[in-house]
Structures are given as structure tokens and as C-alpha cells.
Amino acid sequence: MTVVLFTLGGTIAMAGSAEGGVVARLVGADLVAAVPGLADLGHPIDVRDARAVPSADLTYRQILDLVDAASSAVAGGAAGVVVTQGTDTLEETVFLADLLWPHPEPLVFTGAMRNPTLAGADGPANLLAAARVAAAPAARDLGALVVGHDEVHAARWVRKTHSTSTGAFVSPNTGPLGHVVEGEVRMLTRPRRLPPVPGVEADRLDAVRVALHTVTLDEDTDLVTNLFRGRDGVVVAGFGVGHVPPALAPVLGELAERMPVVLTSRTGAGAVLRHTYGAVGSETDLQRRGLVNGGLLDPYKAKVLLRVLLAAGADRAGIAAEFARRG
Ligand code: ASP
């Protein structure tokens, strides 16, 4: 059985350019050629070059197209799929893919923090580990995964937490699901797989507009009001356990009467609380005003989920139920 490799660009596929700096221009055959161990995987690699862009250039629609192409690959008998892309937006793309991926076969995202011109480039090792995970029976039924630094992370919990470290991908709330040890995929824990979100259609996903705003000290409430105009939904990254300045609470409450407003934490780990603090602008106050509790989902993942749910036509109750289930 083959492992299908889709390439989207990113640092893993970068090489020097005449204009200076590295740009994404290596193709899948180059990436595969840089990993001698792939030949011993026991599964031929079937390369499909999809794009060659920095990951800041990717869109939801392109990830939808990728999921469709990956679906065809597993329907055609592939053991699993590897996607290489830039690491900058990988925590979002992998969760988007996870919300749509209906198959037992692993859909494994990876990239590199050091480009191929640097000493100790991590792309080849990450690609080899990702291919091993894509082919591993132990990694089936876990949805979309991120592999980097010989660790396996769940799409729902993984974060990029460092701008340059080769250990940038961590799951602060859970830790990795598993490791690749001496070439063997060792899964330590298997979270319950949630079903994909049905009825997500590309045009609707394109059209849905969701804003994410991180609350800061002494917030400018006028600015916030203007930021949200014309949106279909909003994610707020609040302080700590889900708090905002008191002046912002009524602004968010009014907004929540018109559109879903999801409350998350800007801290990077831990949950939004539900029933501890009572001040104006606290989590209980904001929930009373109609905000949806984002649970353990970080702001970026919450934004992906909200946009997908709106594109699927979910109503207010449906959105709250999905955040309760996935957050
Ligand atoms: N800027 C690059 C990108 O996301 C970084 C990377 O590939 O890791 O495409």
C-alpha cells in the first residue's frame, strides 16, 4: 500500500532564490530524495505536488480541496496521507482538516523549522516520521495528526509555541499522543474520535466571516465595536479564565444578540471557566450575556471551528453544543 504525499510548500520545501532569502520551490520528489530511510518504509511514496507557498498564503478552500484529494487517495487504497506545509498556520490547517476528515486512515501534517540550507535541517526527519505514522495501524482512527520532533500530536490540541525551535509543536493541555522511537510508532494514548462536521461546502466556507480579537489591558472598546462590524461570528481571546474589561462586557453582550460570540483564553493553555468569578466582565457575566464558552480550545482553533460550523449552517444552539463537545 502506498503513502500519498501532498506538498504545499513551507520551510521544508525552501531553497535559496536569486532575489535573496529562501523561497518555497522544492517539489515532493526533492523532499523524498533527501530522506534515504523512506526507501525502507515498506510503502511506496506517491507524490502529489499541490502548491509551493509559504503557509501564510493558504486558504480554507485550499485545505478543503486538499481533504478531497486526500479522501480520493485513501479511497483508492492508500494506507495513509502525509501533508507537508509551512509550520506557521499548521495548527489551524490541521484542525480544519480534522473537522472534515471522515476516514480511519491517518492524515498526517508535518513541516520544518529549519530550511534545507541550514545545518541540522529537521525536514527530512520530520517527513520520515510522518510517513511512518501515516502507514502505522496504531495511528488509525485518530483523525488528522501533526508529526514533528518525533512526536505525534492531535489536531485539536497542538500549538506552534516557538518561532524557531525544532520542538515548536506541543500540546499544552494533553502532551503528545505518541512518539516515533527507533522508527517505531508508539501511541501512548487514544482520545475518543469525534465525528466530522457534515454539510461544509466550499463556497459557504469562503463567504463566512469570523473575527478573532485578543483582549488587552485598558481596551479601546470603540475599536473593538468597529472590528466586529459585518462579521458572522466572533471569537474573543479573553484574559485568564475568560475575562474582559467591564466596559467591554455590554459591547460583547449586544454583539452576542446578533451573532455567535465565543469566549476563549489568551493564555495558551487551560480552560475558560464556567461558574467561578462573578464580576462584570467575568466568565459568568459573559455567559449570562450570551457568549459561548470555548472550553479548552485555544482562540485559533475556536475560530476554525466557528467558521466551519457557520458554513455548515449550525444555529446558535448547535454552535453551543459543538463547542461543549469539542471544546
Ligand atoms: N514561514 C514558513 C511557512 O509557514 C515557516 C515554516 O514553513 O515553518 O511557510
Side-chain angles (χ1 to χ4, degrees):
M1 283 170 107
T2 57
V3 167
V4 177
L5 167 64
F6 289 93
T7 67
L8 298 178
T11 294
I12 193 169
M14 290 197 182
S17 72
E19 293 75 37
V22 289
V23 297
R25 63 183 177 80
L26 302 181
V27 295
D30 299 321
L31 303 191
V32 168
V35 193
L38 269 180
D40 305 326
L41 185 67
H43 298 269
I45 305 290
D46 177 356
V47 177
R48 318 268 174 92
D49 289 310
R51 341 197 75 82
V53 293
S55 71
D57 207 358
L58 294 171
T59 64
Y60 276 53
R61 181 182 279 269
Q62 289 165 4
I63 299 305
L64 238 65
D65 291 346
L66 173 86
V67 169
D68 282 348
S71 288
S72 303
V74 297
V81 173
V82 174
V83 179
T84 54
Q85 69 153 86
T87 56
D88 289 349
T89 61
L90 202 153
E91 63 194 301
E92 293 165 75
T93 57
V94 73
F95 187 49
L96 173 57
D98 189 57
L99 290 172
L100 305 170
W101 185 245
H103 308 286
E105 288 82 358
L107 175 59
V108 184
F109 284 62
T110 195
M113 297 300 294
R114 295 184 186 147
N115 74 66
T117 70
L118 297 175
D122 52 334
N126 285 345
L127 179 53
L128 180 57
R132 290 193 198 284
V133 173
R140 287 172 69 89
D141 289 310
L142 291 170
L145 300 165
V146 172
V147 170
H149 213 48
D150 280 340
E151 292 179 350
V152 186
H153 292 269
R156 194 158 142 224
W157 305 126
V158 70
R159 303 291 317 272
K160 181 176 179 179
T161 61
H162 197 285
S163 61
T164 57
S165 167
T166 54
F169 285 95
V170 300
S171 301
N173 287 319
T174 59
L177 300 183
H179 300 265
V180 180
V181 184
E182 295 180 314
E184 193 191 334
V185 178
R186 304 278 304 273
M187 301 308 294
L188 306 178
T189 179
R190 299 186 64 82
R192 188 168 59 88
R193 174 109 187 255
L194 296 172
V197 177
V200 180
E201 193 255 312
D203 285 340
R204 268 190 295 159
L205 195 58
D206 262 351
V208 166
R209 302 176 74 195
V210 174
L212 164 59
H213 177 69
T214 302
V215 173
T216 53
L217 183 69
D218 203 10
E219 187 71 75
D220 177 346
T221 46
D222 285 349
L223 171 84
V224 172
T225 312
N226 290 332
L227 270 180
F228 297 157
R229 208 157 274 149
R231 297 296 177 276
D232 301 302
V234 166
V235 174
V236 175
F239 303 126
V241 298
H243 293 176
V244 304
L248 192 57
V251 174
L252 295 178
E254 276 164 36
L255 199 67
E257 285 168 19
R258 288 182 276 126
M259 65 183 76
V261 181
V262 177
L263 181 62
T264 61
S265 170
R266 69 176 202 171
T267 57
V272 168
L273 294 186
R274 295 181 190 280
H275 48 72
T276 298
Y277 292 89
V280 174
S282 68
E283 81 283 2
T284 58
D285 177 50
L286 295 173
Q287 285 171 151
R288 237 184 340 260
R289 293 176 195 268
L291 273 70
V292 174
N293 189 308
L296 282 152
L297 284 184
D298 67 68
Y300 310 111
K301 308 273 192 214
K303 186 178 175 208
V304 172
L305 178 58
L306 182 56
R307 188 161 160 186
V308 165
L309 292 174
L310 286 167
D315 60 12
R316 185 172 286 258
I319 288 169
E322 284 299 317
F323 272 91
R325 180 150 84 137
R326 298 175 193 267

